[in-house]
Amino acid sequence: MNTREIISAAKYLASIKPAFLLSELCSSLPDDVPPHEVCRALAPHLGALDLTATKTGGDYEIRRKIKTAPYILSGQEKDRIDSFLAARRIPPSLERAVEQYITKKVQKPWDDPVILERLRRAIVAQKAEYWKAAAKKRSLAYTKGYTVLSYLAYHFPVYFMQTEYLMRTLASAGLLRQSMAIVDIGTGPGVVPLAIAGFYSHLDTATATLHTIERSEEHIEALLFLAASFCGDIPRVVIRPPVKADIRDLPDAALPDRIDLLVFSNVLNELDDFTTDQRADLVMKLAERLSPDGSILIVEPAEKENTIRLRSLSRALAGRGLTVHSPCAFLWGTRCDPSRCWSFKTQADIRPTRLMERLAACDEPFRYINIDIKYAYVILRRDTTVQHPYHIPPRSKYSRLSKLHLHLNRRINIIAAKMSQELGDKKTHVFKLCDGTAAKPVYGVLPAYHITPSNEVLIPARYGDIMELHNVLVRYNKAHDAYNLLINRNTRIHPAYQKEGDTEDY
Ligand SMILES: C[S@@+](CC[C@H](N)C(=O)[O-])C[C@H]1O[C@@H](n2cnc3c(N)ncnc32)[C@H](O)[C@@H]1O
């Protein structure tokens, strides 16, 4: 008896009735397989089959999961989240918890000059290691105490706030549910679970159970301390004890049977020995437990090489059957060429923490202040939900961006998503544009003196918004091997379609 037969028997029973017993499933199988073996074989697939299992006496009741509606934020919840984000700082209680943790670990006050100097050295060393070219072997083991303390001092605040923005993005896209099982892979000191707990503290009724995987003992120790200090008062969020494991070889029991949100935040780029295909295989393996309406969020630092690798990974995952929900839109229904796609999102700078300020009170303050939020991300789905269910109508009079070489120095019409925030300045606005076809980068260029009421909408448009641009002049930029679409006062720009629902900018 193989697992496939067990799965198809379970699928069949679930198609004819809303609930059945495990013993019923066993007796429908041709071979005599002990129930515990059937249970073990079936458990990892329950999420993907949209089934749940509940123990009843000596048996299990297996039930079709009732499709849950999206958790829609109320006006008050939005207000609370927005005012938290507008403050641009991590919760003061968490700041204090980080300071207390440093004090506990080093057995001296966190702001003792000797400790601050050690932290500075650790931050400089960690950055040097982190930004080594991918071709060089990095050593990011996080096995020593100071590697984690420096992570908490330098990276943690920005990644915490970044995760809060991403949760807001998921909420406004309708991808949160009333009750969620969330798995964070490579959780470090718990950036993602702590940020999610912070986010849920603004919600009225939603609940979440957070599962985390991490291989570094030091990170796990930090997570446990911070979660105990910060999350104790946050109701409806449970952070399960972290699982210490290598994500390249996760035991089955490390993951819950059903995952509603699977997060990889700044972790896949650390698998230096893995090719893009191996990373895609790893994501697909873990995604086996994703519920049919579950989401995968992959986030990486916005620097060029990491971003392009993320886009290539997301292309590989689309090739394996996942749907790219956002931020990319494939407007002509084709797959893209991500080999030069450097597209990332930015948010307002955060305020430095008290610890950062103390670290920066030295001759080279810029080395210790990390406040800008820039991230490359992709949201993937097992179903076919996309953020913008919009395709350019066939035979319409718009040029594909892959065909710009045929229109050099001519005026054309295009439809494309705005895939960057401001890359220029007040004199000349520049935005990356993409319709999912171009191999070479394409930029919309709008000089300030050509701004008119008919084209100014491009400037405030959000990351990912799909715009129609009528009458743009195509220029090739040899220095960058890219195309510029010059916008002048005769260019008309407007949104290609209006999305319904929560349309706030996050
Ligand atoms: C840059 S940190 C990211 C932490 C957190 N997710 C965030 O966004 O801040 C990467 C984390 O992934 C963990 N990691 C890297 N490779 C791993 C592996 N093979 N198995 C388990 N954890 C791993 C590291 O120990 C580290 O904690």
Side-chain angles (χ1 to χ4, degrees):
M1 169 63 46
N2 62 34
T3 308
R4 198 179 295 170
E5 285 170 297
I6 295 174
I7 290 174
S8 62
K11 263 190 192 164
Y12 172 71
L13 284 173
S15 72
I16 56 171
K17 45 174 124 182
F20 57 91
L21 294 173
L22 182 70
S23 51
E24 241 179 301
L25 173 65
C26 293
S27 55
S28 75
L29 297 170
D31 299 335
D32 196 11
V33 192
H36 69 273
E37 275 185 29
V38 176
C39 193
R40 197 178 321 134
L42 187 61
H45 305 280
L46 283 171
L49 293 170
D50 216 10
L51 298 173
T52 58
T54 321
K55 205 162 176 28
T56 54
D59 211 333
Y60 279 91
E61 184 189 57
I62 300 173
R63 206 165 245 296
R64 264 191 247 147
K65 210 181 120 203
I66 297 158
K67 274 231 180 301
T68 43
Y71 187 87
I72 305 292
L73 298 180
S74 69
Q76 285 178 340
E77 288 172 322
K78 281 185 199 166
D79 289 347
R80 289 196 287 267
I81 294 165
D82 293 352
S83 62
F84 168 75
L85 293 173
R88 299 186 288 115
R89 58 178 296 193
I90 71 170
S93 61
L94 188 55
E95 259 197 55
R96 299 296 158 264
V98 168
E99 293 168 0
Q100 284 160 7
Y101 183 66
I102 294 173
T103 300
K104 173 178 168 278
K105 282 293 280 184
V106 300
Q107 297 286 305
K108 276 191 176 183
W110 63 272
D111 55 353
D112 180 291
V114 174
I115 303 305
L116 290 175
E117 197 45 42
R118 284 188 193 150
L119 282 171
R120 285 187 196 107
R121 262 187 265 132
I123 288 170
V124 170
Q126 188 167 63
K127 282 201 283 185
E129 200 58 47
Y130 202 81
W131 298 119
K132 260 188 199 171
K136 298 205 182 123
K137 189 116 190 70
R138 296 187 298 176
S139 157
L140 295 166
Y142 307 100
T143 46
K144 300 212 178 76
Y146 267 92
T147 52
V148 171
L149 301 187
S150 62
Y151 197 86
L152 287 171
Y154 188 79
H155 292 291
F156 180 90
V158 156
Y159 288 157
F160 179 94
M161 291 303 289
Q162 174 176 306
T163 309
E164 296 277 353
Y165 280 107
L166 283 161
M167 288 306 291
R168 182 68 179 86
T169 299
L170 288 166
S172 65
L175 301 183
L176 298 188
R177 299 284 176 269
Q178 175 66 38
S179 162
M180 309 235 331
I182 303 176
V183 174
D184 180 35
I185 302 290
T187 194
V191 177
V192 169
L194 294 165
I196 292 178
F199 186 84
Y200 272 69
S201 72
H202 307 301
L203 306 186
D204 290 327
T205 62
T207 66
T209 304
L210 289 144
H211 304 257
T212 55
I213 315 287
E214 174 55 54
R215 69 173 170 190
S216 149
E217 195 77 62
E218 286 287 340
H219 268 316
I220 290 178
E221 188 187 334
L223 187 170
L224 290 170
F225 181 93
L226 298 175
S229 314
F230 175 63
C231 304
D233 298 335
I234 300 176
R236 295 171 283 97
V237 174
V238 176
I239 300 186
R240 287 276 166 82
V243 173
K244 183 174 185 305
D246 190 312
I247 59 175
R248 289 167 294 194
D249 188 21
L250 265 186
D252 260 2
L255 298 174
D257 292 343
R258 180 183 65 98
I259 303 174
D260 300 302
L261 175 62
L262 180 58
V263 183
F264 300 84
S265 170
N266 303 306
V267 60
L268 290 173
N269 78 77
E270 292 203 0
L271 303 180
D272 285 334
D273 53 334
F274 266 35
T275 60
T276 299
D277 275 334
Q278 285 172 309
R279 291 177 193 193
D281 289 342
L282 170 71
V283 173
M284 290 307 288
K285 172 99 191 59
L286 304 188
E288 280 172 14
R289 308 246 178 139
L290 200 66
S291 53
D293 63 351
S295 305
I296 302 173
L297 169 65
I298 308 178
V299 195
E300 294 289 12
E303 135 297 325
K304 190 171 178 181
E305 194 176 345
N306 275 324
T307 304
I308 291 174
R309 288 192 87 169
L310 171 65
R311 301 285 165 234
S312 304
L313 172 65
S314 105
R315 170 78 174 77
L317 289 167
R320 284 161 173 75
L322 295 181
T323 301
V324 177
H325 169 279
S326 53
C328 309
F330 305 93
L331 302 181
W332 292 93
T334 55
R335 296 256 165 90
C336 69
D337 176 348
S339 54
R340 292 185 60 200
C341 178
W342 187 13
S343 169
F344 57 86
K345 196 160 180 176
T346 55
Q347 303 285 2
D349 287 356
I350 63 164
R351 290 181 212 274
T353 58
R354 183 163 73 165
L355 172 57
M356 250 186 230
E357 279 169 349
R358 293 291 166 85
L359 288 166
C362 63
D363 292 343
E364 297 177 307
F366 60 91
R367 285 181 172 232
Y368 311 106
I369 295 282
N370 183 23
I371 51 171
D372 52 334
I373 307 189
K374 291 192 169 95
Y375 52 97
Y377 77 99
V378 62
I379 298 171
L380 298 138
R381 303 270 303 173
R382 284 200 30 223
D383 64 14
T384 53
T385 311
V386 292
Q387 183 184 21
H388 296 298
Y390 174 82
H391 275 171
I392 297 172
R395 287 182 293 283
S396 55
K397 294 213 177 314
Y398 298 97
S399 303
R400 290 179 188 229
L401 298 187
S402 57
K403 302 280 184 216
L404 292 180
H405 59 284
L406 302 177
H407 304 292
L408 281 185
N409 307 318
R410 291 204 202 116
R411 298 198 159 271
I412 59 166
N413 304 332
I414 62 139
I415 298 184
K418 177 176 163 183
M419 292 308 292
S420 74
Q421 273 131 333
E422 182 67 85
L423 300 173
D425 52 35
K426 281 197 181 121
K427 274 193 186 158
T428 310
H429 299 280
V430 179
F431 301 103
K432 181 173 168 56
L433 298 173
C434 180
D435 67 355
T437 67
K440 295 184 181 181
V442 179
Y443 300 97
V445 179
L446 172 53
Y449 54 85
H450 277 310
I451 296 175
T452 69
S454 304
N455 63 31
E456 65 186 0
V457 67
L458 183 63
I459 298 168
R462 297 161 307 178
Y463 182 74
D465 274 356
I466 301 170
M467 317 296 290
E468 286 190 29
L469 291 85
H470 290 257
N471 199 4
V472 290
L473 179 64
V474 183
R475 294 277 199 225
Y476 177 61
N477 180 338
K478 198 171 171 197
H480 292 98
D481 188 19
Y483 291 99
N484 288 339
L485 300 180
L486 304 186
I487 299 161
N488 71 8
R489 62 194 76 233
N490 297 319
T491 306
R492 281 171 296 113
I493 304 180
H494 57 86
Y497 87 115
Q498 288 296 348
K499 192 169 157 45
E500 286 167 13
D502 185 352
T503 53
E504 276 145 74
D505 183 12
Y506 284 100

